[in-house]
Amino acid sequence: MSSTISTSPDGWMIISSLEQPHSQQSTASSGQSGPEIADDNEIELLSVSWNQNYGRFAFGTSNGFRIYNCDSLTEAFRRDFNGGGFRIVEMLFHCNFLALVGEDTNTQFPPNKVMIWDDHQRRCTYELTFRSHVRGVKLRRDLIVVVLENKIYVYNFADLKLVHQIETLSNPKGLCCLSYHSNTLVLTCPGIRQGEVRIEHPFLKMKKFISAHDSQIACMTLTLNGLLLATASTKGTLIRIFNTNDGTRLQEVRRGLDRADIYSISFSPNERWLAVSSDKGTVHVFSLRVKAAGGDASTQLVAAQIPGNVKQNAVVSAKTGGNTNSSFHFMKGVLPKCFSSERSSAQFHVPEERCHIAAFDAQDTVMILGMDGRYCSYDFDLESIKKLCRNTNRITPARRRAKKKDK
């Protein structure tokens, strides 16, 4: 399998496939067949997603899925099926296991089943069947979390044993977050009341409910260690950051004044920045004012959650100092809240007509992935917060028979 890179008139890079992958037909344990080469009809994008450490991204398409590497923008692998496409493609870091959930018209992988795909064997090794459509799936190396409209099921990865069930408010977006450090386990999801978030620490046998917003939760994310939680409501104006140990609100930032649909929230790996994308055609980057008090909070949280250890509290507090982006900060408490809310440090503009999700790589580069097949990455000067566009690329997963263009 090879790809060609060409440039569109507007400057975007287009990556197109020249050859189809040679896949061997295999039979899954469920009696379903392995990947087959589909015809050359136009392929539609059904979903986009990152893996847990944002080193790869996936396209769910109308006839299969595509996995790409972020650092080199090369296609890691693809699988095509005749039965239909996937609206959920959940990767497990860089390994060969994925969780797949089909679209409504998928005759081979129905939307009420979670298929655990082993790409080394090119077949489904496990499947989980439910009475209603699956809204979301999260994977850890030890757990599979399946999100339905009003319920969440947690299974052991090794033997598919059901270990936990959670009742939630109506959750059509399949909102659920997991921490991904091996020695910590934090799970967050909508609660049973509007605007409520449920935080679970299974190792500590502890759960907490926080009233995050007045409106229904629209988006949430955790840091990789599970220490910090960021949430947004259906209003889409405010994003709030919480300490997951005690539910304390640490910071509040403002995307804007008008209502917006929040597509994604993402922490940078060093927990210095927060990126928020919305239907307004912007990606906002906020500076975080949270730090560990009395030691490294991440280390404390790991120690606290190792079974058999004495419980410790990870202390997280907001850094001193006001909102340097608001000239009305000195009148905080007098003017309405919108005048004293913290504003973004940087903004990037993307097409409004498509959903875009944002994330950070290890160098704090902002990566933006769109449902139109666009992939963009931006650097910004940490001192002056001056935006510097590094590169922009357009990836089209539809197979094309195109000649390699000279750069």
Side-chain angles (χ1 to χ4, degrees), residues 252-326:
E252 179 181 281
V253 297
R254 178 171 291 277
R255 181 212 56 79
L257 297 175
D258 53 339
R259 183 181 293 269
D261 291 331
I262 302 298
Y263 292 144
S264 70
I265 309 174
S266 180
F267 287 100
S268 64
N270 58 18
E271 299 171 11
R272 293 181 59 191
W273 307 98
L274 187 77
V276 179
S277 64
S278 72
D279 66 340
K280 298 301 181 182
T282 56
V283 174
H284 293 257
V285 178
F286 299 92
S287 176
L288 294 180
R289 295 188 295 103
V290 292
K291 66 177 181 178
D296 182 79
S298 301
T299 303
Q300 292 180 13
L301 185 62
V302 169
Q305 294 207 29
I306 297 176
N309 279 17
V310 178
K311 178 181 177 182
Q312 303 179 41
N313 290 321
V315 182
V316 182
S317 62
K319 295 178 183 177
T320 58
N323 172 23
T324 57
N325 295 312
S326 173

Side-chain angles (χ1 to χ4, degrees), residues 15-80:
I15 298 181
S16 304
S17 173
L18 286 176
E19 299 175 6
Q20 302 306 325
H22 298 287
S23 64
Q24 298 177 353
Q25 196 105 339
S26 61
T27 303
S29 59
S30 61
Q32 295 170 332
S33 60
E36 300 175 350
I37 301 303
D39 57 30
D40 288 331
N41 292 335
E42 184 69 21
I43 296 175
E44 178 187 359
L45 276 182
L46 302 180
S47 65
V48 293
S49 59
W50 306 99
N51 72 344
Q52 289 82 356
N53 60 6
Y54 306 110
R56 280 182 170 178
F57 57 88
F59 288 125
T61 72
S62 54
N63 77 325
F65 61 85
R66 312 281 187 269
I67 309 296
Y68 289 88
N69 297 309
C70 292
D71 54 355
S72 59
L73 287 182
T74 56
E75 185 178 283
F77 58 94
R78 63 164 65 185
R79 299 292 173 249
D80 298 323

Side-chain angles (χ1 to χ4, degrees), residues 36-325:
E36 300 175 350
I37 301 303
D39 57 30
D40 288 331
N41 292 335
E42 184 69 21
I43 296 175
E44 178 187 359
L45 276 182
L46 302 180
S47 65
V48 293
S49 59
W50 306 99
N51 72 344
Q52 289 82 356
N53 60 6
Y54 306 110
R56 280 182 170 178
F57 57 88
F59 288 125
T61 72
S62 54
N63 77 325
F65 61 85
R66 312 281 187 269
I67 309 296
Y68 289 88
N69 297 309
C70 292
D71 54 355
S72 59
L73 287 182
T74 56
E75 185 178 283
F77 58 94
R78 63 164 65 185
R79 299 292 173 249
D80 298 323
F81 301 82
N82 283 333
F86 299 101
R87 58 182 180 83
I88 295 177
V89 180
E90 176 73 5
M91 294 170 281
L92 182 59
F93 292 94
H94 284 68
C95 80
N96 54 297
F97 287 105
L98 300 93
L100 304 174
V101 179
E103 61 174 332
D104 292 343
T105 60
N106 194 326
T107 58
Q108 193 174 7
F109 301 96
N112 67 319
K113 285 188 178 183
V114 177
M115 316 300 294
I116 303 302
W117 177 265
D118 182 347
D119 203 68
H120 282 173
Q121 302 183 49
R122 297 192 181 182
R123 68 185 184 96
C124 288
T125 55
Y126 304 106
E127 67 176 55
L128 296 166
T129 305
F130 303 90
R131 294 182 179 178
S132 60
H133 286 194
V134 175
R135 302 299 183 183
V137 182
K138 296 295 179 182
L139 295 181
R140 275 175 50 117
R141 292 187 172 94
D142 55 347
L143 296 176
I144 302 171
V145 179
V146 181
V147 186
L148 305 183
E149 181 84 24
N150 295 98
K151 205 157 190 176
I152 294 177
Y153 295 94
V154 183
Y155 300 87
N156 280 332
F157 204 120
D159 56 10
L160 293 189
K161 179 183 177 181
L162 180 64
V163 295
H164 196 26
Q165 301 181 48
I166 301 173
E167 300 282 345
T168 69
L169 194 68
S170 178
N171 186 15
K173 291 185 175 181
L175 300 180
C176 182
C177 296
L178 284 174
S179 62
Y180 295 111
H181 282 190
S182 59
N183 289 329
T184 67
L185 177 54
V186 182
L187 184 152
T188 62
C189 62
I192 56 175
R193 297 179 178 86
Q194 180 172 285
E196 184 180 71
V197 175
R198 176 175 181 148
I199 304 173
E200 296 230 355
H201 296 265
F203 287 172
L204 301 178
K205 301 186 184 306
M206 181 181 74
K207 65 181 177 182
K208 181 174 290 292
F209 295 88
I210 60 173
S211 180
H213 299 272
D214 295 330
S215 304
Q216 189 169 345
I217 303 298
C219 193
M220 65 172 68
T221 192
L222 282 172
T223 51
L224 292 178
N225 58 25
L227 182 60
L228 300 178
L229 166 71
T231 64
S233 73
T234 51
K235 289 184 179 179
T237 54
L238 298 174
I239 293 86
R240 290 170 175 157
I241 297 95
F242 299 89
N243 175 2
T244 58
N245 262 14
D246 57 16
T248 304
R249 187 200 298 180
L250 303 174
Q251 191 174 351
E252 179 181 281
V253 297
R254 178 171 291 277
R255 181 212 56 79
L257 297 175
D258 53 339
R259 183 181 293 269
D261 291 331
I262 302 298
Y263 292 144
S264 70
I265 309 174
S266 180
F267 287 100
S268 64
N270 58 18
E271 299 171 11
R272 293 181 59 191
W273 307 98
L274 187 77
V276 179
S277 64
S278 72
D279 66 340
K280 298 301 181 182
T282 56
V283 174
H284 293 257
V285 178
F286 299 92
S287 176
L288 294 180
R289 295 188 295 103
V290 292
K291 66 177 181 178
D296 182 79
S298 301
T299 303
Q300 292 180 13
L301 185 62
V302 169
Q305 294 207 29
I306 297 176
N309 279 17
V310 178
K311 178 181 177 182
Q312 303 179 41
N313 290 321
V315 182
V316 182
S317 62
K319 295 178 183 177
T320 58
N323 172 23
T324 57
N325 295 312

